[in-house]
Amino acid sequence: MSTCKVMVTRPKLIDNVLMNPGIGFTTFQRFNGDKLNEGKRWTEGSPIVYQDFDGNLENENHPMTSIAYFRIYWKYIEQEKGSYNWELIDKALATARQRKQTLMLRIAPYGANEEEDVPAWYRELLGKPPEKFDGPGWMVDAEDPTYAEYFGDFIRALGRRYDGHPDMESVDLSIVGSWGEGIGSNLLTRTTREALVDAYTDSFKETPLVMLLTDKKTNGYGLSKANVGWRVDCLGDVCGKAWDFSDDWSHMNDYYPQQLIRSGMQDAWKKAPVSLEVCWVVQHWKDMGWDIDYIIDQSLKWHISSFNAKSSPIPKEWEPNVDRWLKKMGYRLALRKFSFPETVKPGGKLAFASWWENLGVAPCYKKFPLALRLKGERATQVFITDANICEWLPGDSLFDSNVWIPADMPLGSYQLELAILHGHTHRPAVQLANTGRQPDGWYLLGNVEVQLELESPDAIE
């Protein structure tokens, strides 16, 4: 007896820079289409100053991005105790969506001077003016029990409102230190540390959390409570002279590699994102004579998914280097082989086998569904598979499964197509590193005939 023919497609790879959700460069206090910061300056901590938008999403001298990063001080959101100005965040979320982005958020408890202090009502409650705790760089004593109580209350309110929001990319787990960078977290008592971390991990169960790389106790406790990623805010510093440190000390050579291991965060990338921020701005790297390729390669070694260049221009001559970076940053999924039957019958199964390769340095951290589609003249049917693309680490992955064809599926010829969809809109969300992408975002695999009588299929492998 003859057998049903098994079709095999091996999509060709492409070398394009792909703009995909959750990876790549970010804008900072700005959005796609906005004018960049001039020179080597940037803004942070205050409400966003919104620019007029002319409909053009392109960023001059800066890569297109899928993430907008918003950093703001606590005092702007909770100007009165228990009363929250959510409009600041809601508007940023809505604008990000309009500009084809999601929002990465940090609420810093305070900055480094009186203008960047904690909320006025909390300062009044403390009953004393701002004082700088020199060692930890605190604006208030984090061991005052009211600090963990009131800042924790705010974070819990933030989680109740925004956890799982489809436009919220991630939230920084910011607890102490100037600009919320975690300075002095190693000095916290266990009670204070756990109360502050718990405020985040108990409140954000769906939206990814990203911790500052600080100390073993704080990072270790965060990891014990949730799959948290990590971030640092001085990527690129390979020479301490830029920061008045000793000539032979730098973040890139003397802190990040060692602290990543000591804090226990070296494998966190497998479950949650790594998001890094430029030291000064990229133009400063060039002015200092720093090696762009060394910086890029170190970040890739640490499994970077996103990079905040502070919405500052990228030197023109470094654009090829940045393109190389973007082709590896985060995930880069390629379908290498897909096998499926040439014919199926109504009420039967369409069995398939697939080989995938992640050519990036990290997985995708959102559970975007992998879907198949049969598209014909008389009917179109979408099938959501149970593939978990979050498990597709760099390298090869296999996903073999089947979908049931509806019993009332009209007979005829169909295009078999594939896409990775947005979890909420169910529209194609992820571009593959393959040819075959159609205008609507689906990838054509081949043709399938829906027939009443079938022979036994060959093995699908």
Side-chain angles (χ1 to χ4, degrees), residues 438-454:
Q438 302 174 112
D440 63 356
W442 289 80
Y443 289 81
L444 178 62
L445 300 173
N447 295 309
V448 171
E449 292 288 332
V450 177
Q451 300 178 355
L452 286 176
E453 298 297 330
L454 303 179

Side-chain angles (χ1 to χ4, degrees), residues 97-117:
R97 186 187 320 117
Q98 179 195 32
R99 308 291 181 88
K100 311 299 182 185
Q101 297 172 288
T102 51
L103 192 73
M104 184 181 290
L105 179 68
R106 180 193 298 178
I107 307 293
Y110 46 80
N113 55 57
E114 291 190 18
E115 293 182 359
E116 301 167 350
D117 196 14

